[in-house]
Each structure stands twice: as C-alpha cells, then as structure tokens.
Amino acid sequence: MLTQPCTPPRSAAKLGHVTSKLPHRRTRRFSHAPWLLFCAAAAASCGAPAAEPRAAPSSVLLVTIDTLRADRLGCYGHTRAHTPNIDGLATRGVRFERALSVAPLTFPAHVSLMSGTIPPHHGARDNGVFRAVEELDLLAEVLRETGLRTAAFTAAFVLDSQFGLDQGFEEYGDVPQRVMHPKGMLEHRSAAEVNAEAFAWLNTLDESEPFFLWLHYFEPHLPYPPPNERPAALRDHPYDAEVSNADRALGQVLARLEELGRGEETLVVLTSDHGESLGEHGEASHSFFVYQAVLHVPLIFSHASLPAGSTVSSNASLVDVMPTLLELLEIEGPPLPPPARSLAASVRGAASTASSPPPPVYFESLNSLLNYGWAPLQGVTLGDDKYIRAPRAELYDIARDPAELSNLLATDAERARALEEMLVALLAANPGREGAERELSDSDRVRLAGLGYTGAASPAVTENTLADPKDGIERVRKEELILELFNAGRHAEGVGVLRELLEGDPANPVFNSRFGFVQLMQGRFDEAIPYLERSIENGYRVAENVTNLALCFLYTQRLDRARTVFEEALAINAKYLPALFGLAQVHVGQGDPDAARDRLDELLGLWRGGEDPIIAQARQLLATLPR
Ligand SMILES: [Zn+2]
C-alpha cells in the first residue's frame, strides 16, 4: 500500500540530531531520481495518465512581502485587489488556502521561515532584542552548502544583518541608514531599491549557476504613501494600494528572470511574515494580538514541474516552507523538531494521504509581555479549531467564524482542554533556548525564564497575575493617539492622555518611555530621566529609547553616565546614528578627539540619505576636530 507515493526517501531523518553544520548533500539534482520514475509508475498503475515528469527546479526566488494579509489578494478572493503578478503565480502554481504565520512580528516570523522551527526553539521572540543564533541550520546555509549562489536584499531595519539572518548569504543587502530621527525599527526602503540591488547581483552570476535569492518588500507596512502615489483605483484604500505596489515590484523581478533565461529553472515561493489587523479586534496594525487578520498569510509555490492552478486546503505553517522547498529541490535538509513537516507531496499534487494527521500549527506573540508587562499569547490551530492561551483563554471555529467574534470556550471546554494539551506537548518538544537574547533587560530575562520561555525544558506556565492583553488594547490605541496629538501641535492634550495612561499602569515600559520622550522634547531633562530609566528597567530596550536617556545625561553634562548609556544603545543597534552622534559629542566633551572622530567617520560611512540637519552638524563637528 502506497501512502506517500510522491515523497522521496528522506535519509536526513535518520541522521539523528545534528548540532554542527552538516554538509547538506544535494541529491539527484541533475537527473531524474528513481523515486520520480517510481511515482510515474505508481500513477500509471492507479489509472492516472503517466505524464512526462518535468525537471525539478534548480534555483529559488523567495519573496516575502511584509504585513501582507492573504485575504487582500485577488487569488484569495479580494475583489478590489490589483495583484496580477501574485495572482499569476497562483494560476501557474500551487496556492495554500490556509497558511499561518507563527507570530505577528517580522523578525521572529522570518527566523521561523528560514529555520523551519517555531520561536520557542529558535529563541527569537521579538524584534530588535533577539538574534538568529549560530546553531540554527538556516535555509541559505543549506542551499549554499549544496552549491547554490545565495543573496538576500531586505527592506526593513528589523532584518538587519546584525540580527543574524545573514548566515549563509554571500551577499546580504541591509537597509542603508538614512534617517537621523528616532524612527528606529521602522527604518525601511522601497521595493524598487531592493530590486535594483537584486538585478545587479543577478548580473554577476554565470548563466549556469543555480541560485537562491530572497527578496523582502515592506510596502504594505505602515506608513502609507500620500494619495497621489497610489494607483488611481485605490486612492482611498492605502493598504490595498501598497499591496499593489509590492505586486508590481514582484512582476519586475519575474520579468527580469525571464529576460535572463532563468525563469524555467526557478522555483518561486511567495509568502509573508504576518498580516495586518486593519482595526479588527481594536488593533490598528500588528504585533499585539494573534487573530487570523495577522496570522493568515499567502503561500504560493510556482514552477513548471508543479500542477498549475491547484490549491491545498489543509493548514500549513511558515515552518513548513523550508522542508517543503528543500524537498522540491531534491535536497536533503537538517532534521527539524516538530511541528515542521514537508508539504512537498501536497504541492506536487498527491492527495493528502499522509499516514498521520497534520500536526497542530503553533503561534505566539510575546509583544504584550516584553513591551507592556502584560500576559503573553500562545496557541495552536488544528483543523478549524483555534485555541489562544491567555488569562481569559479563547476558542474559535475559524471556518464558521473567520472574524473570531464568538469565543466557544464556555460551551466547548473539552475541545479547548485537548488543544491546551497539544500546546503543552509542542512546547515540551521545543524547550526554550538561551543565547538568542541580545540586550534584554534584567526584568525581561527574569520574566522569560520564570515563564519557561528560556533555559531548561519546562512547559510555559500561564501567569495569571499578568493582565490580559484584551484589556490593554484600548490603552495601546490611546498611546498611538498621543503621537497624532503631538504631530498636530496639541501637546497639552497629549500629555494629559499620557498621564492618564501612567496612572492606570505606572510600571508600563512603553507608557514610561513616551512620557520621558515628551519631557525630553520639551527640554525637561531631569524630569525625563526617571521615566526613561523605568521604561528601560521594565523591558523597553530599543535603541532609540536608550538613546533618549543618554541624551538627557549629555544635555545635563553628566558625561560619564551619558557615555555608558550611549554605548548600551549601540550594543542594541550598532548602526543607530543618533547614538553614534551623541557618543561623539561625549568624547569631545571628555577631551578625546580621536574617539570622537572615529564615531563621526563611522556615522558618515553609514549614512546613505540626502542632506539632513544632523548630518550637517556631524560634518561641522568633524571639521573642528584636529586630524
Ligand atoms: Zn513584518
């Protein structure tokens, strides 16, 4: 009895646990394998036509479009969409109807995609303060070891090479540092700029060299462009307009591959790291909640060897992409912990005849824990059942109730209990990893360890004393409103809202950070310091927040303290230009012009933007220093 007729033997699974970087054998890349002939024979014996098998792909184009909801694409049924290139991929390839992200956060989701492991295994739980550790066998490393040329061009700072996703890439295009203002993690560039670098790299390849090219576009992520930069039909729909802009960029890459004669050999994989709430459940964007709006992502595999226009209806996870892709390329991958699995049989069109039922799909968001001090969210989806562990847990039937408006927990506690057990088992198989934290605060470290997220294998514990994020979303919305009030010059009103938020939640890291920033902007440095210190102590350790504290010390002439804190900011983000400039000023104040010059040279070397007042100041300061 054939159970998986089109799955090649996977000897990698017999290798046992591999800790070192193993040489990944490329099996049968240039000839049709016995298993392929075996498949054809099996198909013939079942009465199916034995079609001439097409050659397996030898190169890969992986495109991740940040913040892309599946249901905003034409091929996923969105009537207003203008996404002809993505829709065309689906027409020529295989589309997963229900692919799910592991986390609504760019960096953790991309590490899962590139490693085939869930965040509890790889340890990257948030943007900015974690890294992809060396021990992971990342997709690019596997492909490079089998002889593919590798390059990645990314569009957002969150994926900067300093966070470790560059492992295995011969070339890794970071976002140039351009903006001196505290835009921090939102630093990004256009898909056109990403494409320009990719085209230049493709031109350096010999035409016979197989390649792995990863492109990351950021268009659908906030902020949106002004109406005059949107396609006419989508002028009033900024999100759809940005999706359309990303689609156009994808079309340009596909056209370039055809021009270069590389289209036929190239497997194209299109997906996203997470979706966008767009106001659902009270969330404007993403990172906080784990509803389908942010978890349901597109996933399309397109190549001439695959059945054109077919769909897969069962649940798939971002962690399944790496093993699937490797199997389609006939490359042996590293053994992966559960729940990752190859979906190559489904992609090739074999009916889902796997002997074991599909595993639960894992998801999480620790954003509420790490940045607000509220309870984390974790859960699993199995078939149509979706369970979210929280102080007030949730259970949904996502087929009947895709908007997740009707919590079935009270009426079906038994089902919730079964899913909670699956979650516990999954976490036990993926014990927390130490070493992925870069610059966590002590309190975050303690919190993560105490809840079982790092260190020894222990199932995560629901911390009932922490607030439910559902109760915090109103406060998050208010906090977002503050920026708008300040931009509109309504400072007093903004300060009033902030005071109100702090009264209700005095330890909240983000609220303290905002209040400190407001004091800093108004020149009240001494007032700002305790708020900024508290925000950092309680976990808000992004480089711009730490830099704001350092600036308070600089402007009040506490230079030793300023220096230490600027250095802390640079340990979090070595390329944060305001921290480099501040540190240079400290060195000048301390009578160390050589050190100041080094910092300024470093800063100007990183700068890729047009004229900026602070760059002009940096140049001025440099000119005053003795050479
Ligand atoms: Zn993202």
Side-chain angles (χ1 to χ4, degrees), residues 231-552:
L234 298 171
R235 205 142 281 172
D236 300 326
H237 304 284
Y239 180 78
D240 290 335
E242 286 289 57
V243 172
S244 176
N245 288 338
D247 179 88
R248 194 172 58 243
L250 170 70
Q252 287 159 358
V253 179
L254 297 178
R256 178 57 61 98
L257 289 178
E258 291 300 329
E259 283 163 24
L260 294 169
R262 310 299 291 263
E264 203 167 313
E265 74 188 68
T266 304
L267 170 68
V268 182
V269 182
L270 182 283
T271 189
S272 174
D273 52 352
H274 53 77
E276 185 79 325
S277 282
L278 299 173
E280 289 184 37
H281 298 271
E283 183 178 42
S285 55
H286 59 270
S287 75
F288 201 70
F289 284 144
V290 287
Y291 296 112
Q292 294 301 89
V294 296
L295 292 187
H296 186 202
V297 291
L299 178 59
I300 301 168
F301 289 78
S302 180
H303 183 257
S305 65
L306 305 177
S310 60
T311 56
V312 179
S313 59
S314 54
N315 292 341
S317 166
L318 282 190
V319 300
D320 302 331
V321 172
M322 174 173 164
T324 304
L325 191 155
L326 289 175
E327 191 174 331
L328 292 173
L329 263 69
E330 300 170 18
I331 291 172
E332 208 172 85
L336 296 173
R341 64 197 172 121
S342 169
L343 304 168
S346 299
V347 173
R348 290 190 181 112
S352 183
T353 50
S355 51
S356 55
V361 174
Y362 173 84
F363 58 83
E364 69 169 37
S365 175
L366 269 57
N367 180 43
S368 52
L369 175 78
L370 294 173
N371 297 322
Y372 294 85
W374 302 335
L377 298 171
Q378 287 178 295
V380 289
T381 305
L382 185 73
D384 293 338
D385 295 336
K386 176 173 174 182
Y387 168 72
I388 304 172
R389 177 199 277 172
R392 294 198 310 283
E394 294 162 73
L395 176 71
Y396 298 101
D397 181 330
I398 52 175
R400 289 187 184 173
D401 178 22
E404 293 156 287
L405 298 174
S406 175
N407 184 0
L408 303 172
L409 193 93
T411 52
D412 209 344
E414 199 53 44
R415 209 152 38 122
R417 236 187 321 272
L419 292 167
E420 166 68 28
E421 276 168 28
M422 286 180 194
L423 176 59
V424 169
L426 205 49
L427 292 171
N430 289 276
R433 178 188 290 277
E434 283 183 83
E437 315 91 354
R438 300 174 81 232
E439 288 294 327
L440 282 186
S441 69
D442 290 342
S443 67
D444 271 346
R445 224 179 282 281
V446 169
R447 242 185 249 154
L448 285 171
L451 293 170
Y453 290 112
T454 55
S458 65
V461 177
T462 307
E463 180 54 86
N464 286 319
T465 58
L466 298 178
D468 193 307
K470 292 189 281 295
D471 297 329
I473 192 67
E474 271 309 312
R475 279 177 271 169
V476 172
R477 277 161 54 127
K478 275 192 185 164
E479 175 230 321
E480 287 167 352
L481 176 76
I482 289 161
L483 195 64
E484 287 171 34
L485 289 173
F486 274 93
N487 287 341
R490 292 155 67 182
H491 294 172
E493 231 176 302
V495 171
V497 177
L498 258 178
R499 281 193 195 285
E500 194 189 309
L501 286 172
L502 272 172
E503 273 164 27
D505 201 349
N508 189 295
V510 171
F511 301 162
N512 275 286
S513 161
R514 299 286 184 267
F515 197 79
F517 177 66
V518 168
Q519 303 302 314
L520 165 64
M521 290 328 267
Q522 297 181 341
R524 290 197 285 268
F525 309 120
D526 285 321
E527 282 98 320
I529 286 170
Y531 290 95
L532 293 169
E533 282 181 334
R534 195 173 310 126
S535 73
I536 294 164
E537 269 161 33
N538 292 351
Y540 198 58
R541 287 187 65 82
V542 294
E544 49 271 45
N545 192 41
V546 178
T547 298
N548 287 342
L549 176 62
L551 288 171
C552 292

Side-chain angles (χ1 to χ4, degrees), residues 119-276:
H121 178 89
H122 61 62
R125 315 305 281 269
D126 198 358
N127 294 331
V129 285
F130 293 86
R131 59 172 284 112
V133 296
E134 288 285 325
E135 294 77 28
L136 296 170
D137 276 311
L138 298 180
L139 179 59
E141 296 178 284
V142 177
L143 294 177
R144 190 175 177 186
E145 282 165 13
T146 55
L148 273 72
R149 302 293 309 273
T150 55
F153 300 97
T154 61
F157 169 74
V158 220
L159 300 176
D160 196 274
S161 49
Q162 64 182 309
F163 301 121
L165 269 180
D166 61 332
Q167 296 172 61
F169 286 107
E170 293 166 73
E171 191 163 335
Y172 192 91
D174 281 328
V175 178
Q177 303 296 302
R178 286 178 291 208
V179 181
M180 289 294 289
H181 310 295
K183 250 171 110 180
M185 304 301 284
L186 279 180
E187 190 79 74
H188 65 281
R189 61 173 168 174
S190 71
E193 290 169 83
V194 170
N195 280 0
E197 287 192 0
F199 294 168
W201 180 78
L202 282 168
N203 284 339
T204 67
L205 301 184
D206 289 342
E207 58 189 33
S208 59
E209 282 180 305
F211 63 86
F212 170 44
L213 174 61
W214 167 36
L215 302 182
H216 168 248
Y217 298 154
F218 202 62
E219 268 65 13
H221 197 291
L222 287 165
Y224 302 135
N228 62 358
E229 289 174 30
R230 300 175 197 157
L234 298 171
R235 205 142 281 172
D236 300 326
H237 304 284
Y239 180 78
D240 290 335
E242 286 289 57
V243 172
S244 176
N245 288 338
D247 179 88
R248 194 172 58 243
L250 170 70
Q252 287 159 358
V253 179
L254 297 178
R256 178 57 61 98
L257 289 178
E258 291 300 329
E259 283 163 24
L260 294 169
R262 310 299 291 263
E264 203 167 313
E265 74 188 68
T266 304
L267 170 68
V268 182
V269 182
L270 182 283
T271 189
S272 174
D273 52 352
H274 53 77
E276 185 79 325

